[in-house]
Coordinates of all heavy atoms in Angstrom, one line a residue:
M1 N -16.0 -38.6 8.7 CA -15.1 -38.9 9.8 C -14.5 -40.3 9.6 O -13.6 -40.7 10.3 CB -15.8 -38.9 11.1 CG -14.9 -39.1 12.3 SD -15.7 -39.2 13.9 CE -16.9 -37.9 13.8
T2 N -14.9 -41.0 8.5 CA -14.4 -42.4 8.3 C -12.9 -42.4 8.0 O -12.3 -43.4 8.2 CB -15.1 -43.1 7.2 OG1 -15.1 -42.3 6.0 CG2 -16.6 -43.3 7.6
G3 N -12.3 -41.3 7.5 CA -10.9 -41.3 7.3 C -10.0 -41.0 8.5 O -8.8 -41.1 8.4
E4 N -10.6 -40.7 9.6 CA -9.9 -40.5 10.8 C -9.4 -41.8 11.4 O -10.1 -42.8 11.3 CB -10.8 -39.8 11.8 CG -11.3 -38.4 11.4 CD -10.2 -37.4 11.3 OE1 -9.1 -37.6 11.8 OE2 -10.5 -36.3 10.7
P5 N -8.3 -41.8 12.2 CA -7.8 -43.0 12.8 C -8.9 -43.5 13.8 O -9.7 -42.8 14.3 CB -6.6 -42.5 13.6 CG -6.2 -41.2 13.0 CD -7.5 -40.6 12.4
Y6 N -8.9 -44.8 13.9 CA -9.9 -45.5 14.8 C -10.0 -44.9 16.2 O -11.0 -44.6 16.7 CB -9.6 -47.0 14.8 CG -10.5 -47.7 15.8 CD1 -11.8 -48.0 15.5 CD2 -10.0 -48.1 17.1 CE1 -12.6 -48.7 16.3 CE2 -10.9 -48.7 18.0 CZ -12.2 -49.0 17.6 OH -13.0 -49.7 18.5
G7 N -8.8 -44.7 16.8 CA -8.8 -44.2 18.1 C -9.4 -42.8 18.2 O -10.1 -42.5 19.2
Y8 N -9.2 -42.0 17.3 CA -9.8 -40.7 17.3 C -11.3 -40.8 17.2 O -12.0 -40.1 17.8 CB -9.2 -39.9 16.1 CG -9.8 -38.5 16.0 CD1 -9.5 -37.5 16.9 CD2 -10.8 -38.2 15.0 CE1 -10.0 -36.2 16.9 CE2 -11.3 -36.9 15.0 CZ -11.0 -35.9 15.9 OH -11.5 -34.7 15.8
R9 N -11.7 -41.7 16.3 CA -13.2 -41.9 16.2 C -13.8 -42.4 17.5 O -14.9 -42.0 17.9 CB -13.5 -42.9 15.1 CG -13.3 -42.2 13.7 CD -13.7 -43.2 12.6 NE -12.6 -44.0 12.2 CZ -12.6 -45.3 12.0 NH1 -13.8 -45.9 12.2 NH2 -11.6 -46.0 11.7
V10 N -13.0 -43.2 18.2 CA -13.5 -43.7 19.5 C -13.6 -42.5 20.5 O -14.7 -42.3 21.2 CB -12.6 -44.7 20.1 CG1 -12.9 -45.0 21.6 CG2 -12.6 -46.0 19.3
L11 N -12.6 -41.7 20.5 CA -12.7 -40.5 21.4 C -13.8 -39.6 21.1 O -14.6 -39.2 21.9 CB -11.4 -39.7 21.3 CG -11.3 -38.5 22.3 CD1 -11.4 -39.0 23.7 CD2 -10.0 -37.8 22.1
V12 N -14.0 -39.4 19.8 CA -15.1 -38.5 19.4 C -16.5 -39.1 19.8 O -17.4 -38.5 20.2 CB -15.1 -38.2 17.9 CG1 -16.4 -37.5 17.4 CG2 -13.9 -37.3 17.6
R13 N -16.6 -40.4 19.6 CA -17.8 -41.2 20.0 C -18.0 -41.0 21.4 O -19.2 -40.7 21.9 CB -17.7 -42.6 19.6 CG -18.5 -43.6 20.4 CD -20.0 -43.4 20.2 NE -20.8 -44.2 21.1 CZ -21.0 -44.0 22.4 NH1 -20.6 -42.9 22.9 NH2 -21.8 -44.8 23.1
V14 N -17.0 -41.1 22.2 CA -17.2 -40.9 23.7 C -17.6 -39.5 24.0 O -18.5 -39.2 24.9 CB -15.9 -41.3 24.4 CG1 -15.9 -40.9 25.9 CG2 -15.6 -42.8 24.3
L15 N -16.9 -38.6 23.3 CA -17.2 -37.2 23.7 C -18.5 -36.6 23.2 O -19.1 -35.7 23.7 CB -16.0 -36.3 23.2 CG -14.7 -36.6 23.9 CD1 -13.6 -35.7 23.3 CD2 -14.8 -36.5 25.4
F16 N -19.0 -37.2 22.1 CA -20.2 -36.6 21.4 C -21.3 -37.6 21.4 O -22.4 -37.2 21.0 CB -19.8 -36.2 20.0 CG -18.9 -35.0 20.0 CD1 -17.5 -35.2 19.8 CD2 -19.4 -33.7 20.2 CE1 -16.7 -34.1 19.8 CE2 -18.5 -32.7 20.2 CZ -17.1 -32.9 20.0
G17 N -21.1 -38.8 21.7 CA -22.3 -39.8 21.8 C -22.7 -40.3 20.5 O -22.3 -39.8 19.4
L18 N -23.5 -41.4 20.5 CA -23.9 -42.0 19.3 C -24.8 -41.2 18.4 O -24.7 -41.2 17.2 CB -24.7 -43.3 19.6 CG -23.9 -44.6 19.9 CD1 -24.8 -45.7 20.3 CD2 -23.0 -44.9 18.7
G19 N -25.7 -40.4 19.0 CA -26.6 -39.6 18.3 C -26.0 -38.2 17.9 O -26.8 -37.4 17.4
G20 N -24.8 -38.0 18.1 CA -24.2 -36.7 17.8 C -24.3 -35.7 18.8 O -23.8 -34.6 18.8
E21 N -25.1 -36.0 19.9 CA -25.3 -35.1 21.0 C -24.3 -35.4 22.0 O -24.1 -36.5 22.5 CB -26.7 -35.2 21.6 CG -27.8 -34.8 20.7 CD -27.8 -33.3 20.4 OE1 -27.5 -32.5 21.4 OE2 -28.0 -32.9 19.3
P22 N -23.5 -34.4 22.4 CA -22.5 -34.6 23.5 C -23.2 -34.9 24.8 O -24.2 -34.4 25.1 CB -21.7 -33.3 23.5 CG -22.6 -32.3 22.9 CD -23.5 -33.0 22.0
P23 N -22.6 -35.9 25.5 CA -23.1 -36.2 26.9 C -23.0 -34.9 27.7 O -22.1 -34.0 27.5 CB -22.2 -37.3 27.4 CG -21.0 -37.2 26.6 CD -21.4 -36.7 25.2
A24 N -23.8 -34.8 28.7 CA -23.8 -33.6 29.5 C -22.5 -33.3 30.1 O -22.1 -32.1 30.3 CB -24.9 -33.7 30.6
W25 N -21.7 -34.3 30.5 CA -20.5 -34.1 31.1 C -19.4 -33.6 30.2 O -18.4 -33.1 30.6 CB -20.0 -35.4 31.8 CG -19.9 -36.6 30.9 CD1 -20.8 -37.6 30.9 CD2 -18.8 -37.0 30.0 NE1 -20.4 -38.6 30.0 CE2 -19.2 -38.2 29.4 CE3 -17.7 -36.4 29.6 CZ2 -18.4 -38.8 28.5 CZ3 -16.8 -37.0 28.7 CH2 -17.2 -38.2 28.1
R26 N -19.6 -33.7 28.9 CA -18.6 -33.2 27.9 C -18.2 -31.8 28.1 O -17.0 -31.4 27.9 CB -19.2 -33.5 26.5 CG -18.3 -32.9 25.4 CD -17.0 -33.6 25.3 NE -16.2 -33.1 24.2 CZ -15.5 -32.0 24.2 NH1 -15.5 -31.2 25.2 NH2 -14.8 -31.6 23.1
E27 N -19.1 -30.9 28.5 CA -18.8 -29.5 28.7 C -17.7 -29.3 29.7 O -17.1 -28.3 29.7 CB -20.1 -28.7 29.0 CG -21.1 -28.7 27.9 CD -22.3 -28.0 28.4 OE1 -22.3 -27.4 29.4 OE2 -23.3 -28.0 27.6
R28 N -17.5 -30.2 30.6 CA -16.5 -30.1 31.7 C -15.3 -30.9 31.4 O -14.4 -31.0 32.3 CB -17.1 -30.4 33.0 CG -18.3 -29.5 33.4 CD -18.9 -29.8 34.8 NE -19.6 -31.1 34.7 CZ -19.5 -32.1 35.6 NH1 -18.7 -32.0 36.6 NH2 -20.2 -33.2 35.4
A29 N -15.2 -31.5 30.2 CA -14.0 -32.3 29.9 C -12.7 -31.5 29.9 O -12.6 -30.5 29.2 CB -14.2 -33.0 28.6
A30 N -11.7 -32.0 30.5 CA -10.4 -31.3 30.5 C -9.7 -31.4 29.2 O -8.9 -30.5 28.9 CB -9.5 -32.0 31.6
C31 N -10.1 -32.3 28.3 CA -9.5 -32.4 27.0 C -10.2 -31.7 25.9 O -9.9 -31.8 24.7 CB -9.4 -33.9 26.6 SG -11.0 -34.7 26.5
A32 N -11.3 -31.0 26.3 CA -12.1 -30.3 25.3 C -11.3 -29.5 24.3 O -11.7 -29.5 23.1 CB -13.2 -29.5 26.0
D33 N -10.3 -28.8 24.7 CA -9.5 -28.0 23.8 C -8.1 -28.6 23.5 O -7.3 -27.9 23.0 CB -9.4 -26.6 24.4 CG -10.7 -25.9 24.5 OD1 -11.6 -26.1 23.6 OD2 -10.9 -25.3 25.6
S34 N -8.0 -29.9 23.8 CA -6.7 -30.5 23.6 C -6.6 -31.1 22.2 O -7.6 -31.4 21.6 CB -6.5 -31.7 24.6 OG -6.5 -31.2 25.9
D35 N -5.4 -31.3 21.7 CA -5.1 -31.9 20.5 C -5.5 -33.4 20.6 O -4.9 -34.1 21.4 CB -3.6 -31.7 20.1 CG -3.2 -32.4 18.8 OD1 -4.1 -33.0 18.2 OD2 -2.0 -32.4 18.5
P36 N -6.4 -33.9 19.8 CA -6.8 -35.3 19.9 C -5.6 -36.2 19.7 O -5.6 -37.4 20.2 CB -7.8 -35.5 18.8 CG -8.4 -34.1 18.5 CD -7.2 -33.2 18.8
D37 N -4.6 -35.8 18.9 CA -3.5 -36.7 18.6 C -2.7 -37.0 19.9 O -2.1 -38.0 20.0 CB -2.5 -36.0 17.6 CG -3.1 -36.0 16.2 OD1 -4.1 -36.8 16.0 OD2 -2.6 -35.2 15.4
L38 N -2.8 -36.1 20.8 CA -2.1 -36.3 22.1 C -2.6 -37.6 22.8 O -1.8 -38.4 23.4 CB -2.3 -35.2 23.1 CG -1.8 -35.3 24.5 CD1 -0.3 -35.4 24.5 CD2 -2.3 -34.1 25.4
F39 N -3.8 -37.9 22.6 CA -4.5 -39.1 23.2 C -4.3 -40.4 22.4 O -4.7 -41.4 22.8 CB -5.9 -38.8 23.5 CG -6.2 -37.7 24.5 CD1 -6.1 -36.4 24.2 CD2 -6.4 -38.1 25.8 CE1 -6.2 -35.4 25.1 CE2 -6.5 -37.1 26.8 CZ -6.5 -35.8 26.4
H40 N -3.6 -40.3 21.3 CA -3.4 -41.4 20.4 C -1.9 -41.6 20.0 O -1.7 -42.0 18.9 CB -4.3 -41.4 19.2 CG -5.8 -41.3 19.7 ND1 -6.5 -40.2 19.8 CD2 -6.6 -42.3 20.1 CE1 -7.7 -40.4 20.3 NE2 -7.8 -41.7 20.4
N41 N -1.1 -41.2 20.8 CA 0.4 -41.2 20.5 C 1.1 -42.0 21.7 O 1.1 -41.6 22.8 CB 0.9 -39.8 20.5 CG 2.4 -39.7 20.1 OD1 3.2 -40.6 20.4 ND2 2.7 -38.7 19.3
A42 N 1.6 -43.1 21.3 CA 2.2 -44.0 22.3 C 3.4 -43.3 23.1 O 3.7 -43.7 24.2 CB 2.7 -45.3 21.6
R43 N 4.0 -42.3 22.5 CA 5.1 -41.6 23.2 C 4.6 -40.5 24.1 O 5.4 -39.9 24.7 CB 6.0 -41.1 22.1 CG 6.9 -42.2 21.5 CD 7.7 -41.6 20.4 NE 6.9 -41.2 19.3 CZ 7.3 -41.0 18.1 NH1 8.5 -41.1 17.8 NH2 6.5 -40.6 17.2
R44 N 3.3 -40.3 24.1 CA 2.7 -39.2 24.9 C 1.6 -39.7 25.8 O 0.8 -38.9 26.2 CB 2.2 -38.1 23.9 CG 3.3 -37.6 23.0 CD 2.8 -36.5 22.0 NE 2.6 -35.3 22.8 CZ 2.0 -34.2 22.2 NH1 1.5 -34.3 21.0 NH2 1.8 -33.1 22.9
I45 N 1.7 -40.9 26.2 CA 0.7 -41.5 27.1 C 0.7 -40.7 28.4 O -0.4 -40.4 28.9 CB 0.9 -43.0 27.3 CG1 0.6 -43.8 26.1 CG2 0.1 -43.5 28.5 CD1 1.0 -45.2 26.1
A46 N 1.9 -40.4 29.0 CA 1.9 -39.8 30.3 C 1.3 -38.4 30.2 O 0.6 -38.0 31.1 CB 3.4 -39.7 30.7
A47 N 1.5 -37.7 29.1 CA 0.9 -36.3 29.0 C -0.6 -36.4 28.9 O -1.3 -35.6 29.5 CB 1.5 -35.7 27.7
A48 N -1.1 -37.4 28.1 CA -2.5 -37.6 28.0 C -3.1 -37.9 29.4 O -4.2 -37.4 29.8 CB -2.9 -38.6 27.0
K49 N -2.5 -38.9 30.0 CA -3.0 -39.3 31.3 C -3.0 -38.1 32.4 O -3.8 -38.1 33.3 CB -2.2 -40.5 31.9 CG -2.5 -41.8 31.2 CD -1.9 -42.9 31.9 CE -2.5 -44.2 31.5 NZ -2.2 -45.3 32.5
A50 N -2.0 -37.3 32.2 CA -1.9 -36.1 33.1 C -3.1 -35.2 33.0 O -3.6 -34.7 34.0 CB -0.6 -35.3 32.9
I51 N -3.6 -35.1 31.7 CA -4.8 -34.3 31.5 C -6.0 -35.0 32.1 O -6.8 -34.4 32.8 CB -5.0 -34.0 30.0 CG1 -3.9 -33.1 29.5 CG2 -6.4 -33.4 29.7 CD1 -3.8 -32.9 28.0
C52 N -6.1 -36.3 31.8 CA -7.2 -37.0 32.4 C -7.2 -37.0 33.9 O -8.3 -36.9 34.5 CB -7.2 -38.5 31.9 SG -7.5 -38.7 30.2
A53 N -6.0 -37.0 34.5 CA -6.0 -37.0 36.0 C -6.6 -35.7 36.6 O -7.0 -35.7 37.7 CB -4.5 -37.1 36.4
T54 N -6.6 -34.6 35.8 CA -7.2 -33.4 36.3 C -8.6 -33.2 35.9 O -9.2 -32.2 36.2 CB -6.4 -32.1 35.7 OG1 -6.7 -32.0 34.3 CG2 -4.9 -32.3 35.9
C55 N -9.1 -34.1 35.2 CA -10.5 -34.0 34.6 C -11.6 -34.2 35.6 O -11.6 -35.2 36.2 CB -10.6 -35.0 33.4 SG -12.1 -34.8 32.5
P56 N -12.5 -33.2 35.7 CA -13.6 -33.4 36.6 C -14.6 -34.4 36.2 O -15.5 -34.8 37.0 CB -14.2 -32.0 36.6 CG -13.9 -31.4 35.3 CD -12.5 -32.0 34.9
V57 N -14.6 -34.9 35.0 CA -15.5 -35.9 34.5 C -14.8 -37.2 34.2 O -15.4 -38.0 33.4 CB -16.4 -35.4 33.4 CG1 -17.3 -34.3 33.8 CG2 -15.5 -35.0 32.2
L58 N -13.7 -37.5 34.8 CA -13.0 -38.7 34.6 C -13.9 -39.9 34.8 O -13.9 -40.8 33.9 CB -11.7 -38.8 35.5 CG -11.0 -40.1 35.5 CD1 -10.4 -40.4 34.1 CD2 -9.9 -40.1 36.5
D59 N -14.6 -40.0 35.9 CA -15.4 -41.2 36.2 C -16.5 -41.4 35.1 O -16.7 -42.5 34.6 CB -16.0 -41.1 37.5 CG -15.0 -41.2 38.7 OD1 -13.9 -41.6 38.4 OD2 -15.4 -40.7 39.8
E60 N -17.1 -40.3 34.7 CA -18.2 -40.4 33.7 C -17.6 -40.9 32.4 O -18.2 -41.7 31.7 CB -18.9 -39.1 33.5 CG -19.7 -38.7 34.8 CD -18.9 -37.8 35.8 OE1 -17.7 -38.0 35.8 OE2 -19.6 -37.1 36.5
C61 N -16.5 -40.3 32.0 CA -15.9 -40.6 30.7 C -15.4 -42.1 30.7 O -15.7 -42.8 29.7 CB -14.7 -39.7 30.5 SG -13.7 -40.1 29.0
R62 N -14.8 -42.5 31.7 CA -14.3 -43.9 31.8 C -15.5 -44.9 31.8 O -15.4 -45.8 31.0 CB -13.5 -44.1 33.1 CG -12.9 -45.5 33.2 CD -12.1 -45.6 34.4 NE -10.9 -44.8 34.4 CZ -10.0 -44.7 35.4 NH1 -10.1 -45.4 36.5 NH2 -8.9 -44.0 35.2
R63 N -16.5 -44.6 32.5 CA -17.7 -45.4 32.6 C -18.3 -45.5 31.2 O -18.6 -46.6 30.7 CB -18.7 -44.9 33.6 CG -20.0 -45.7 33.7 CD -21.1 -44.9 34.2 NE -21.4 -43.8 33.4 CZ -21.7 -42.5 33.8 NH1 -21.8 -42.3 35.1 NH2 -22.0 -41.5 32.9
D64 N -18.5 -44.4 30.5 CA -19.2 -44.4 29.2 C -18.3 -45.2 28.2 O -18.8 -45.9 27.4 CB -19.4 -43.0 28.7 CG -20.7 -42.4 29.5 OD1 -21.2 -43.0 30.3 OD2 -21.0 -41.2 29.1
Q65 N -17.0 -45.0 28.2 CA -16.1 -45.6 27.3 C -16.1 -47.2 27.5 O -16.3 -47.9 26.6 CB -14.7 -45.1 27.4 CG -13.7 -45.8 26.5 CD -14.0 -45.5 25.0 OE1 -14.7 -44.6 24.7 NE2 -13.3 -46.2 24.1
L66 N -16.0 -47.6 28.8 CA -16.0 -49.0 29.0 C -17.3 -49.6 28.7 O -17.4 -50.8 28.2 CB -15.6 -49.3 30.5 CG -14.1 -48.9 30.9 CD1 -13.9 -49.0 32.4 CD2 -13.1 -49.8 30.1
D67 N -18.4 -48.9 29.0 CA -19.7 -49.5 28.7 C -19.9 -49.6 27.2 O -20.4 -50.6 26.7 CB -20.8 -48.5 29.2 CG -21.0 -48.7 30.7 OD1 -20.4 -49.6 31.3 OD2 -21.8 -47.8 31.3
W68 N -19.4 -48.6 26.4 CA -19.6 -48.6 25.0 C -18.8 -49.8 24.4 O -19.2 -50.5 23.5 CB -19.1 -47.3 24.4 CG -19.2 -47.2 22.9 CD1 -20.3 -47.2 22.1 CD2 -18.0 -47.2 22.0 NE1 -19.9 -47.2 20.8 CE2 -18.5 -47.2 20.7 CE3 -16.7 -47.2 22.2 CZ2 -17.7 -47.1 19.6 CZ3 -15.8 -47.2 21.1 CH2 -16.4 -47.1 19.8
E69 N -17.6 -49.9 24.9 CA -16.7 -51.0 24.4 C -17.3 -52.4 24.8 O -17.3 -53.3 24.0 CB -15.3 -50.9 24.9 CG -14.5 -49.7 24.3 CD -13.2 -49.4 25.0 OE1 -12.9 -50.0 26.1 OE2 -12.5 -48.6 24.6
A70 N -17.8 -52.5 26.0 CA -18.3 -53.8 26.5 C -19.6 -54.2 25.8 O -19.9 -55.4 25.6 CB -18.5 -53.7 28.0
N71 N -20.4 -53.2 25.4 CA -21.7 -53.5 24.9 C -21.8 -53.4 23.3 O -22.8 -53.8 22.8 CB -22.8 -52.5 25.5 CG -22.9 -52.8 27.0 OD1 -23.0 -53.9 27.4 ND2 -22.9 -51.7 27.7
G72 N -20.7 -53.1 22.7 CA -20.7 -53.0 21.3 C -20.1 -54.3 20.7 O -19.9 -55.3 21.4
P73 N -19.9 -54.3 19.4 CA -19.3 -55.5 18.8 C -17.9 -55.9 19.4 O -17.3 -55.0 20.0 CB -19.1 -55.1 17.3 CG -20.0 -54.0 17.1 CD -20.2 -53.3 18.4
A74 N -17.6 -57.1 19.4 CA -16.3 -57.6 20.1 C -15.1 -56.8 19.6 O -14.2 -56.5 20.3 CB -16.1 -59.1 19.8
R75 N -15.1 -56.3 18.3 CA -14.0 -55.6 17.8 C -13.8 -54.3 18.6 O -12.7 -53.8 18.6 CB -14.1 -55.4 16.3 CG -15.3 -54.5 15.9 CD -15.4 -54.4 14.4 NE -16.7 -53.9 14.0 CZ -17.0 -52.6 13.9 NH1 -16.1 -51.7 14.2 NH2 -18.2 -52.2 13.6
F76 N -14.8 -53.7 19.2 CA -14.7 -52.5 19.9 C -13.8 -52.7 21.1 O -13.0 -51.8 21.4 CB -16.1 -52.0 20.4 CG -16.9 -51.4 19.4 CD1 -16.6 -51.4 18.0 CD2 -18.1 -50.7 19.7 CE1 -17.4 -50.8 17.1 CE2 -18.9 -50.1 18.8 CZ -18.6 -50.2 17.5
R77 N -13.9 -53.8 21.8 CA -13.1 -54.0 23.0 C -11.8 -54.8 22.7 O -10.9 -54.8 23.5 CB -13.9 -54.7 24.1 CG -14.6 -56.0 23.7 CD -15.6 -56.5 24.7 NE -16.5 -57.5 24.3 CZ -17.6 -57.3 23.5 NH1 -18.0 -56.1 23.2 NH2 -18.3 -58.4 23.1
A78 N -11.8 -55.4 21.6 CA -10.6 -56.2 21.2 C -9.5 -55.2 20.6 O -8.3 -55.6 20.5 CB -10.9 -57.3 20.2
N79 N -9.9 -54.1 20.1 CA -9.0 -53.2 19.4 C -9.0 -51.8 20.1 O -8.8 -50.8 19.4 CB -9.4 -53.0 17.9 CG -9.4 -54.3 17.2 OD1 -8.3 -55.0 17.1 ND2 -10.5 -54.8 16.7
T80 N -9.1 -51.8 21.4 CA -9.1 -50.5 22.1 C -7.8 -49.8 21.8 O -6.7 -50.4 21.8 CB -9.3 -50.7 23.6 OG1 -8.4 -51.7 24.0 CG2 -10.8 -51.1 23.8
F81 N -7.8 -48.5 21.7 CA -6.6 -47.7 21.3 C -6.8 -46.3 21.8 O -7.9 -45.7 21.8 CB -6.5 -47.7 19.8 CG -5.2 -47.0 19.3 CD1 -4.0 -47.6 19.4 CD2 -5.3 -45.7 18.9 CE1 -2.9 -47.0 18.9 CE2 -4.2 -45.0 18.4 CZ -3.0 -45.6 18.5
G82 N -5.7 -45.7 22.3 CA -5.8 -44.4 22.7 C -6.1 -44.2 24.2 O -6.7 -45.1 24.8
V83 N -5.7 -43.1 24.8 CA -6.1 -42.8 26.2 C -7.4 -42.2 26.2 O -7.7 -41.2 25.6 CB -5.0 -41.9 26.8 CG1 -5.4 -41.5 28.2 CG2 -3.6 -42.6 26.8
V84 N -8.3 -42.9 26.9 CA -9.7 -42.4 27.2 C -10.0 -42.7 28.6 O -9.8 -43.8 29.1 CB -10.7 -43.0 26.2 CG1 -12.1 -42.4 26.5 CG2 -10.4 -42.9 24.8
G85 N -10.6 -41.7 29.3 CA -10.9 -41.9 30.7 C -9.7 -42.2 31.6 O -9.8 -42.9 32.6
G86 N -8.6 -41.8 31.2 CA -7.3 -42.0 31.9 C -6.7 -43.4 31.8 O -5.8 -43.7 32.4
L87 N -7.3 -44.2 30.8 CA -6.8 -45.5 30.6 C -6.3 -45.7 29.2 O -7.0 -45.2 28.2 CB -7.9 -46.6 30.9 CG -8.5 -46.6 32.3 CD1 -9.7 -47.5 32.3 CD2 -7.4 -47.1 33.3
T88 N -5.2 -46.4 29.0 CA -4.8 -46.7 27.6 C -5.7 -47.8 27.0 O -6.4 -48.4 27.7 CB -3.3 -47.2 27.6 OG1 -3.3 -48.4 28.3 CG2 -2.4 -46.2 28.3
G89 N -5.5 -48.0 25.8 CA -6.3 -49.0 25.1 C -5.9 -50.4 25.7 O -6.8 -51.2 26.0
A90 N -4.7 -50.6 26.0 CA -4.3 -51.9 26.6 C -4.9 -52.0 28.0 O -5.3 -53.1 28.4 CB -2.7 -52.0 26.7
E91 N -4.9 -51.0 28.8 CA -5.5 -51.1 30.1 C -7.0 -51.4 30.0 O -7.5 -52.1 30.9 CB -5.2 -49.8 30.9 CG -3.8 -49.6 31.3 CD -3.4 -48.2 31.8 OE1 -4.2 -47.2 31.4 OE2 -2.5 -48.1 32.5
R92 N -7.6 -50.8 29.1 CA -9.1 -51.1 28.9 C -9.3 -52.6 28.4 O -10.2 -53.2 28.9 CB -9.7 -50.1 28.0 CG -9.7 -48.7 28.5 CD -10.6 -47.7 27.8 NE -10.5 -47.7 26.3 CZ -9.5 -47.1 25.7 NH1 -8.6 -46.4 26.3 NH2 -9.5 -47.1 24.3
R93 N -8.4 -53.0 27.6 CA -8.5 -54.4 27.1 C -8.3 -55.4 28.3 O -8.9 -56.4 28.4 CB -7.5 -54.7 26.0 CG -7.9 -54.2 24.7 CD -7.1 -54.8 23.5 NE -5.7 -54.6 23.6 CZ -5.0 -53.5 23.3 NH1 -5.7 -52.4 22.9 NH2 -3.7 -53.4 23.4
R94 N -7.4 -55.0 29.2 CA -7.2 -55.9 30.4 C -8.5 -55.9 31.3 O -8.7 -56.9 31.9 CB -6.0 -55.3 31.3 CG -4.7 -55.6 30.6 CD -3.5 -55.3 31.6 NE -2.3 -55.2 30.8 CZ -1.7 -54.1 30.5 NH1 -2.2 -52.9 30.8 NH2 -0.6 -54.1 29.7
I95 N -9.2 -54.9 31.3 CA -10.5 -54.9 32.0 C -11.5 -55.8 31.3 O -12.2 -56.6 31.9 CB -11.1 -53.4 32.1 CG1 -10.1 -52.6 33.1 CG2 -12.5 -53.4 32.6 CD1 -10.4 -51.1 33.1
H96 N -11.5 -55.7 29.9 CA -12.5 -56.5 29.2 C -12.1 -58.0 29.1 O -12.9 -58.9 29.1 CB -12.6 -56.0 27.8 CG -13.2 -54.6 27.7 ND1 -14.4 -54.2 28.2 CD2 -12.7 -53.4 27.1 CE1 -14.7 -52.9 28.0 NE2 -13.6 -52.4 27.3
Y97 N -10.7 -58.2 29.1 CA -10.2 -59.5 29.0 C -9.1 -59.7 30.0 O -7.9 -59.8 29.7 CB -9.6 -59.8 27.6 CG -10.5 -59.5 26.4 CD1 -10.4 -58.3 25.7 CD2 -11.5 -60.4 26.1 CE1 -11.3 -58.1 24.6 CE2 -12.4 -60.2 25.0 CZ -12.3 -59.0 24.3 OH -13.1 -58.8 23.2
P98 N -9.6 -59.9 31.3 CA -8.6 -59.9 32.4 C -7.6 -61.0 32.4 O -6.5 -60.9 33.0 CB -9.5 -59.9 33.6 CG -10.8 -60.4 33.2 CD -10.9 -60.0 31.7
T99 N -7.9 -62.1 31.7 CA -6.9 -63.2 31.7 C -6.0 -63.2 30.5 O -5.1 -64.0 30.4 CB -7.7 -64.6 31.7 OG1 -8.5 -64.6 30.5 CG2 -8.5 -64.7 32.9
N100 N -6.2 -62.3 29.5 CA -5.3 -62.2 28.4 C -4.1 -61.3 28.6 O -4.2 -60.4 29.4 CB -6.1 -61.6 27.2 CG -7.1 -62.5 26.6 OD1 -7.3 -63.6 27.1 ND2 -7.7 -62.1 25.5
S101 N -3.0 -61.6 27.9 CA -1.9 -60.8 28.0 C -1.9 -59.8 26.8 O -2.1 -60.2 25.7 CB -0.6 -61.6 27.9 OG 0.5 -60.8 27.8
V102 N -1.9 -58.5 27.1 CA -2.0 -57.5 26.0 C -0.8 -56.6 26.0 O -0.2 -56.3 27.1 CB -3.3 -56.7 26.1 CG1 -4.5 -57.6 25.9 CG2 -3.4 -56.0 27.5
K103 N -0.4 -56.2 24.9 CA 0.7 -55.3 24.7 C 0.2 -53.8 24.9 O -0.8 -53.4 24.2 CB 1.4 -55.5 23.4 CG 2.6 -54.6 23.1 CD 3.2 -54.9 21.8 CE 4.4 -54.1 21.5 NZ 4.9 -54.2 20.1
D104 N 1.0 -53.0 25.6 CA 0.6 -51.6 25.8 C 1.2 -50.7 24.7 O 2.3 -50.4 24.8 CB 1.0 -51.2 27.2 CG 0.3 -50.0 27.7 OD1 -0.6 -49.4 26.9 OD2 0.5 -49.6 28.9
V105 N 0.4 -50.4 23.7 CA 0.9 -49.6 22.6 C 0.3 -48.2 22.6 O 0.8 -47.3 22.0 CB 0.6 -50.3 21.3 CG1 1.4 -51.5 21.1 CG2 -0.9 -50.5 21.1
A106 N -0.7 -48.0 23.3 CA -1.3 -46.6 23.6 C -2.7 -46.7 24.1 O -3.3 -47.8 23.9 CB -1.3 -45.8 22.3
Ligands
LIG1 S1 -11.1 -38.3 31.3 FE1 -9.6 -37.8 29.8 S2 -10.5 -38.4 27.8 FE2 -12.1 -38.4 29.3 S3 -13.1 -36.3 29.1 FE3 -11.5 -36.2 30.7 S4 -9.6 -35.5 29.8 FE4 -11.0 -36.2 28.1

């Protein structure tokens, strides 16, 4: 998986967990059968967010992603990318670094 884009690896990490076991909520994820590229395309943010908005596990996904970014190496939260848990990478960086100005690229 090391050849995959960083954002995709983040999404997979969120969906499948560190140990390779998917979190229990994963089975109900609205994006389970979606194209992962949709969640990592700056021109398709609205479409990705629309899927997240219908997701029955949005809260769990967002919590796990933010926890993972907050508790991992600084690069995890400094380089957030892709829509996960209904938030773009820039929106998550604003949560981690509320006083910084960040560019919304996806
Ligand atoms: S909130 Fe979005 S990224 Fe998270 S599981 Fe649901 S659809 Fe997928």
